[in-house]
């Protein structure tokens, strides 16, 4: 029985790790090291509670909620000595337009407060409802709506009103 649950967890972790990592990269605005740490913390928490989590109707959604809460907790306790930078050490090549787009969007996301960034990632990357996002963030639906409006307004301000240039054809 115990071995079956361990195998079930290993299959789940292998299947969801990539998606969790991509979400974590968006939450951290491209900080891949922190994203890896958050995914490991998430998977560790899931492993400890797997017997309960595996009975949940949506373990993938539960994992995303754990990831989001781990990110927000990290932001609350982040050392004041850490400083974000808007300068990337490597410039994107001219041949890959997607890399330039990704860097532009990650830069814009990095300029949002952590909770606003979490709302944008959950609502538009994860395609969650307002209620699901509110539950994942331990916030009210009204707070999520307000954060969403403010975050999108800030992104429009950073990226310009004509967001069509960032959309894929």
């Amino acid at each position: 029985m115990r071995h079956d649950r361990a195998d079930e967890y290993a299959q789940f972790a292998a299947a969801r790790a990539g998606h969790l990592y991509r979400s974590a990269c968006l939450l951290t605005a491209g900080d891949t090291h922190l994203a890896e740490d958050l995914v490991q913390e998430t998977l560790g928490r899931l492993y400890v509670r797997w017997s309960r989590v595996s009975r949940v109707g949506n373990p993938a959604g539960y994992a995303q909620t754990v990831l989001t809460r781990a990110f927000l907790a990290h932001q609350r306790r982040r050392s004041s000595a850490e400083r974000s930078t808007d300068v990337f050490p490597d410039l994107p090549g001219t041949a890959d337009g997607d890399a330039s787009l990704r860097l532009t969007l990650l830069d814009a996301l990095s300029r949002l407060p952590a909770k606003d960034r979490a709302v944008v990632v959950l609502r538009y990357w994860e395609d969650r409802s307002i209620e699901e996002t509110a539950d994942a963030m331990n916030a009210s639906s009204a707070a999520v709506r307000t954060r969403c409006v403010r975050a999108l307004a800030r992104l429009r301000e950073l990226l310009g009103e004509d967001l069509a240039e960032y959309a894929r054809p």
Side-chain angles (χ1 to χ4, degrees), residues 63-78:
Q64 185 64 37
T65 297
V66 171
L67 175 71
T68 301
R69 289 181 181 171
F71 166 71
L72 293 173
H74 177 268
Q75 291 302 111
R76 281 191 299 270
R77 68 177 178 261
R78 193 168 92 183

Side-chain angles (χ1 to χ4, degrees), residues 3 38 54 78 92 108 113 118 125 133 139:
H3 189 4
L38 290 172
S54 62
R78 193 168 92 183
W125 173 257
T133 302

Side-chain angles (χ1 to χ4, degrees), residues 120-159:
V120 169
V121 169
L122 289 172
R123 289 280 292 131
Y124 300 105
W125 173 257
E126 291 293 322
D127 198 27
R128 289 189 175 204
S129 68
I130 290 174
E131 292 75 22
E132 291 170 328
T133 302
D135 183 51
M137 295 182 62
N138 282 336
S140 69
S141 295
V144 168
R145 283 187 197 93
T146 300
R147 284 196 178 281
C148 195
V149 168
R150 288 180 186 164
L152 291 177
R154 178 68 176 142
L155 286 174
R156 282 186 194 98
E157 181 181 304
L158 292 169
L159 298 172

Side-chain angles (χ1 to χ4, degrees), residues 24-67:
C25 282
L26 290 171
L27 287 169
T28 63
D31 185 342
T32 57
H33 299 292
L34 178 56
E36 289 171 354
D37 291 345
L38 290 172
V39 170
Q40 288 302 314
E41 183 176 344
T42 298
L43 292 175
R45 288 182 185 179
L46 287 174
Y47 180 77
V48 170
R49 296 179 182 92
W50 186 248
S51 62
R52 281 186 287 169
V53 172
S54 62
R55 291 181 296 214
V56 171
N58 184 4
Y62 185 87
Q64 185 64 37
T65 297
V66 171
L67 175 71

